[in-house]
Amino acid sequence: MSQVPSQVSQSLLESLKTIVGNHHVLTTEAETYRFRHGFRFGSGSVLAVVQPGSLVELWRVAQACVQAGTIVIMQAANTGLTGGSTPDGNDYDRDIVLISTLRLIGSHLIGEGRQVVCLPGATLYELESKLAAIGREPHSVIGSSCIGASVLGGISNNSGGALVQRGPAYTEMAVFGQVGQDGQLRLVNHLGIELGNDPETILSKLQAGTFTDADISWDAGRGHDGDYVTHVRDVDANTPARYNADPARWHEAAGCAGKLVVFAVRLDTFPANKNASVFYIGTNSTDELEDLRRHVLTAFEELPIAGEYIHRDAFNIAEKYGKDTFAIIRKFGTGFLPKMFAMKSRFDIFTKKFGFLPVNLSDRVMQALSVLIPNQLPQRMLDYRDQFEHHLMLKVTETLTPAMRAYLQEYFGKVTGSFFECTPDEGSRAFLHRFAAAGAAVRYRAVHHREAEDIVALDVALRRNDREWFETLPQEIEDKISVKLYYGHFLCHVMHQDYVVKKGYNAMAVEHSMLPGLDARGARYPAEHNVGHLYEAPEDMLAHYRTLDPCNCFNPGIGQATKKRNWLAESV
């Protein structure tokens, strides 16, 4: 529920309305609901949700909030899985203003499209579409882009993605606002583009793109983690390839987790892979997949584009509870999904007014209608589902296809598993099905709310040399779980593990009981979704956050840290 404003807060609200207009300062419970409730986790009260329409407005809003002493939570698409861009409860020591950047869309291609400057509301889908016209791709493609994830959200959280060669989202070039020890908000331009000296001049030129090639420095910093392609090949290393708390991938906006007000980032783009091939692999042996992973990463001069894993149980759940999402994307494209989720949110807000209506009504209606949708999966995939427990999709470039085909023919002539080479349509459907699994657990919980208490969602980075990659849970934990979904970025050894906890058990307690087992295996978590409010941040990560935000005025409480001003201990 929204907070009742004090006299000081009311004065701030009036200032915010003057900056962005009355219509873009939301204060009622219904107006703010979809912003202050996380996609999977997290919710709390806010004084207001503010929707600036320009970078200058964003700067003025941030200034007003800092001067008023309120907490600022920056939010883009709100597609995170750990509650990192929403409030977490109502135990903050100051009012919260949540700034939504969804109106700040736009991106500027530079260097003939070899790089791009993205504004806060730029989505992966928008960028993917723009770059496709010139034969290039962004750092991440399908996956989070299906649900409207933002480019800056990925950078702020070092999001991982499925593309093996590119590593986590990363840049050393950004424009951001930072509050210093003196409590003053300052604009920092490390974009490598000359835009002037005055903050509002800089931001106006940045948004309009009124800069020339002569203004651009081409050695300002890295626009992606170019070392990852070598790093991931070290299959004998006793550490994970990538995880969110890796200090090597923190740099100002990269990994800031909302501790800065980021106005723009500059990123590398990549040549689009044309005529790629997809090989669909099935086996009942985890050793066979691990041997294949090690060979693929070390024996070829070129790495695959992607290597995505899905377990049979996740396959089945996604087939039933992700079928409508799958069909909508195939029919209308990924650009329609953000609109669909917005409509779904408005429907949920409306139905909450009627106490006699069942909970999760939108999900239940959508699931009921999904039975009318015909089967979406190719018969060969369904046959493999019946034969094999473990499934792997290898996507490779046109140049790597002949060598990969020859290797798979030889390898599966000696082991128990099998493979087939997908048609273009089969390959597209295979990867789309894999990504539909990410939302299937949420739908399952909604439909089975009488039997399901909640979801535990872990994304785990395993050691690169871990041969025992498939999890075996202790029986006392297994007994508390009704459904387990395992899927992930197999070549990177990053696994997404969703557990539907049985009714009557505390999901947080179940999750905490799992973590010692992961620690014993040398795993790191989260792998690519940031600590949010679900995970305890390690001390070096908290030190990084304190350096970025010494007043603890931006997104306090992240990593289960103190929410108090100036990082005071909770007991003070």
Side-chain angles (χ1 to χ4, degrees):
M1 185 172 295
S2 300
Q3 300 168 350
V4 177
S6 65
Q7 185 174 353
V8 173
S9 300
Q10 188 62 50
S11 176
L12 173 61
L13 289 176
E14 293 304 317
S15 296
L16 297 175
K17 290 175 182 178
T18 300
I19 295 169
V20 302
N22 291 358
H23 184 66
H24 297 297
V25 178
L26 314 179
T27 57
T28 70
E29 181 179 5
E31 289 174 330
T32 61
Y33 179 87
R34 68 187 179 99
F35 299 95
R36 54 189 175 81
H37 283 253
F39 176 66
R40 268 196 186 174
F41 173 86
S43 65
S45 299
V46 297
L47 176 67
V49 172
V50 184
Q51 302 170 300
S54 70
L55 297 184
V56 170
E57 286 186 1
L58 174 56
W59 170 251
R60 293 173 179 173
V61 167
Q63 280 188 311
C65 292
V66 169
Q67 290 169 4
T70 64
I71 288 168
V72 172
I73 296 179
M74 299 296 299
Q75 183 185 95
N78 193 17
T79 59
L81 303 184
T82 60
S85 60
T86 59
D88 177 44
N90 297 316
D91 56 343
Y92 293 84
D93 61 346
R94 292 151 287 167
D95 286 333
I96 298 172
V97 173
L98 192 155
I99 302 178
S100 170
T101 63
L102 291 179
R103 295 177 65 209
L104 302 175
I105 60 173
S107 56
H108 308 301
L109 299 183
I110 60 176
E112 299 179 328
R114 294 188 305 276
Q115 289 189 332
V116 62
V117 175
C118 291
L119 305 187
T123 65
L124 287 170
Y125 171 75
E126 168 202 334
L127 183 56
E128 194 175 337
S129 301
K130 177 179 283 192
L131 288 171
I134 59 171
R136 298 187 72 83
E137 294 177 342
H139 171 273
S140 299
V141 285
I142 194 170
S144 296
S145 54
C146 289
I147 52 175
S150 72
V151 177
L152 265 68
I155 292 295
S156 296
N157 296 305
N158 290 136
S159 298
L163 302 181
V164 181
Q165 302 172 22
R166 300 180 191 174
Y170 178 80
T171 187
E172 295 170 356
M173 297 172 286
V175 174
F176 54 90
Q178 183 175 29
V179 176
Q181 292 277 6
D182 59 359
Q184 298 300 306
L185 179 67
R186 293 175 178 84
L187 188 71
V188 179
N189 179 9
H190 287 169
L191 200 63
I193 301 176
E194 180 56 50
L195 296 166
N197 298 311
D198 173 69
E200 296 199 1
T201 300
I202 291 171
L203 296 175
S204 295
K205 291 182 68 174
L206 177 58
Q207 181 152 10
T210 51
F211 47 83
T212 67
D213 287 348
D215 297 320
I216 301 173
S217 169
W218 294 105
D219 59 357
R222 296 189 294 167
H224 82 288
D225 180 9
D227 297 330
Y228 186 77
V229 69
T230 302
H231 184 73
V232 73
R233 286 183 183 269
D234 188 359
V235 296
D236 293 318
N238 200 38
T239 56
R242 55 181 169 91
Y243 55 97
N244 187 256
D246 184 356
R249 297 186 180 94
W250 300 336
H251 186 88
E252 298 175 342
C256 72
K259 289 294 185 178
L260 301 170
V261 180
V262 184
F263 293 88
V265 295
R266 178 177 162 187
L267 306 167
D268 293 334
T269 69
F270 304 85
N273 290 296
K274 299 178 180 179
N275 303 316
S277 298
V278 174
F279 296 96
Y280 198 96
I281 295 161
T283 180
N284 290 312
S285 168
T286 57
D287 282 339
E288 288 180 8
L289 277 194
E290 181 58 22
D291 287 340
L292 183 151
R293 184 186 80 92
R294 295 174 70 88
H295 183 87
V296 166
L297 287 175
T298 58
F300 295 97
E301 290 186 11
E302 180 184 341
L303 288 182
I305 299 167
E308 291 296 296
Y309 168 82
I310 186 169
H311 183 263
R312 177 193 280 154
D313 292 345
F315 185 113
N316 290 333
I317 293 291
E319 180 190 15
K320 182 174 182 179
Y321 296 95
K323 184 167 68 169
D324 54 335
T325 300
F326 186 113
I328 287 168
I329 293 172
R330 288 194 63 235
K331 178 70 174 178
F332 300 105
T334 57
F336 180 74
L337 276 194
K339 300 175 187 176
M340 185 190 78
F341 280 109
M343 290 187 290
K344 180 178 179 296
S345 178
R346 285 192 286 269
F347 180 82
D348 288 338
I349 293 168
F350 176 75
T351 56
K352 277 171 63 71
K353 299 176 182 178
F354 304 96
F356 60 89
L357 291 175
V359 296
N360 304 313
L361 183 59
S362 63
D363 279 297
R364 295 167 70 177
V365 169
M366 291 171 73
Q367 186 60 33
L369 293 175
S370 73
V371 301
L372 304 175
I373 300 173
N375 170 53
Q376 298 293 302
L377 298 179
Q379 188 59 47
R380 290 201 286 182
M381 284 177 59
L382 296 173
D383 292 342
Y384 266 46
R385 181 267 312 277
D386 296 336
Q387 295 177 58
F388 301 115
E389 181 180 2
H390 306 286
H391 299 238
L392 178 68
M393 291 143 272
L394 276 182
K395 187 174 186 178
V396 301
T397 64
E398 185 176 22
T399 56
L400 183 56
T401 294
M404 187 62 70
R405 183 189 298 121
Y407 163 67
L408 294 176
Q409 288 171 343
E410 178 186 2
Y411 182 68
F412 285 106
K414 300 181 292 186
V415 297
T416 61
S418 188
F419 84 98
F420 64 85
E421 188 170 347
C422 295
T423 66
D425 181 62
E426 285 176 326
S428 173
R429 293 191 191 216
F431 270 84
L432 184 51
H433 180 62
R434 151 64 187 89
F435 288 110
V442 176
R443 174 67 61 79
Y444 181 94
R445 175 188 61 180
V447 173
H448 296 273
H449 61 96
R450 290 188 178 89
E451 302 88 33
E453 185 68 33
D454 208 343
I455 295 172
V456 171
L458 298 177
D459 60 299
V460 179
L462 303 175
R463 301 187 328 269
R464 283 168 282 175
N465 65 353
D466 190 352
R467 292 197 60 89
E468 304 299 323
W469 57 271
F470 191 71
E471 181 178 67
T472 302
L473 289 172
Q475 193 60 47
E476 61 268 23
I477 298 178
E478 193 82 45
D479 291 342
K480 300 172 184 175
I481 296 169
S482 57
V483 173
K484 297 180 295 185
L485 284 76
Y486 295 108
Y487 52 96
H489 315 308
F490 188 66
L491 298 184
C492 298
H493 253 197
V494 167
M495 300 297 294
H496 295 282
Q497 302 176 179
D498 294 345
Y499 313 86
V500 180
V501 178
K502 292 178 182 177
K503 202 73 173 178
Y505 292 103
N506 182 285
M508 191 67 72
V510 171
E511 177 181 340
H512 287 167
S513 70
M514 295 175 173
L515 301 184
L518 293 174
D519 294 338
R521 296 171 62 191
R524 299 296 297 265
Y525 47 86
E528 57 184 9
H529 288 139
N530 200 279
V531 290
H533 292 288
L534 272 181
Y535 300 95
E536 184 177 350
E539 181 52 41
D540 57 349
M541 192 176 224
L542 293 179
H544 171 62
Y545 292 160
R546 287 192 289 266
T547 299
L548 293 178
D549 178 24
C551 71
N552 203 23
C553 52
F554 294 137
N555 214 8
I558 288 294
Q560 299 182 9
T562 178
K563 297 175 180 176
K564 291 185 178 295
R565 188 194 305 269
N566 298 325
W567 298 90
L568 292 176
E570 290 295 341
S571 59
V572 176

